[in-house]
Amino acid sequence: MKVNVNIDPNIKEDEIIISIKEMNTKVEKILSIITEEGANGVIPLQREERVYLVNPQEISHVFSEDNKCFAFRDKEKYRYKDTLKQFEERFRHNFMRISKYCVANISWMEYFEATFGGSLVVVFKNGEKEIVSRKYAKELKKALLKE
């Protein structure tokens, strides 16, 4: 992959041009970073009557429960206004789908446990646990081991 950067102090507005042969995961990650909503990249999370502006790196995982979306920041559970799918698309360079109902921050994963039923459980640095579905376990392993 070739990368060209042209710095010109005379231009009025920054412009990014990407020329590709075909779409791939690298380009998708680059696009998600470039097009990330909001200049500051913070996520509004609600808890009680307050709205907190949180950096994505502070969130261990986001999950869907009773048709509502929630995020864990440290050991606290917050309400996220959008859908899980929207969150995943917006922050796919930091988060990875681990089940139909959960996307997880890879940097918050501490270790994995196998259960008696053969399921895989991820344990986050904040002590929270989530089941990794078989459908996503292979992709997770590939991403973590860079295979």
Side-chain angles (χ1 to χ4, degrees), residues 36-56:
E36 188 173 279
E37 294 173 24
N40 53 12
V42 296
I43 303 167
L45 298 178
Q46 184 178 354
R47 188 157 180 259
E48 296 169 1
E49 298 300 316
R50 296 181 178 167
V51 175
Y52 298 86
L53 300 176
V54 179
N55 288 319

Side-chain angles (χ1 to χ4, degrees), residues 74-89:
D74 198 29
K75 293 184 184 254
E76 302 293 330
K77 182 177 168 182
Y78 295 80
R79 175 83 163 85
Y80 177 65
K81 66 177 173 87
D82 292 329
T83 65
L84 190 62
K85 178 81 173 157
Q86 290 168 324
F87 183 90
E88 180 184 24
E89 288 173 0

Side-chain angles (χ1 to χ4, degrees), residues 38-110:
N40 53 12
V42 296
I43 303 167
L45 298 178
Q46 184 178 354
R47 188 157 180 259
E48 296 169 1
E49 298 300 316
R50 296 181 178 167
V51 175
Y52 298 86
L53 300 176
V54 179
N55 288 319
Q57 303 91 329
E58 297 178 54
I59 298 172
S60 63
H61 61 292
V62 179
F63 62 97
S64 177
E65 180 178 83
D66 298 326
N67 291 323
K68 294 179 184 167
C69 201
F70 298 94
F72 261 94
R73 177 185 183 207
D74 198 29
K75 293 184 184 254
E76 302 293 330
K77 182 177 168 182
Y78 295 80
R79 175 83 163 85
Y80 177 65
K81 66 177 173 87
D82 292 329
T83 65
L84 190 62
K85 178 81 173 157
Q86 290 168 324
F87 183 90
E88 180 184 24
E89 288 173 0
R90 183 175 172 198
F91 298 102
R92 74 178 67 180
H93 56 280
N94 292 334
F95 289 80
M96 184 164 191
R97 177 78 66 161
I98 62 168
S99 72
K100 183 177 178 181
Y101 305 102
C102 184
V103 292
N105 187 334
I106 295 171
S107 64
W108 271 82
M109 294 178 183
E110 188 165 28

Side-chain angles (χ1 to χ4, degrees), residues 105-123:
N105 187 334
I106 295 171
S107 64
W108 271 82
M109 294 178 183
E110 188 165 28
Y111 61 92
F112 296 90
E113 295 176 340
T115 65
F116 290 113
S119 297
L120 188 63
V121 175
V122 62
V123 180

Side-chain angles (χ1 to χ4, degrees), residues 136-147:
Y136 297 100
K138 192 175 187 178
E139 291 176 40
L140 180 62
K141 180 181 174 186
K142 185 177 177 181
L144 293 174
L145 300 176
K146 307 286 186 223
E147 293 179 344

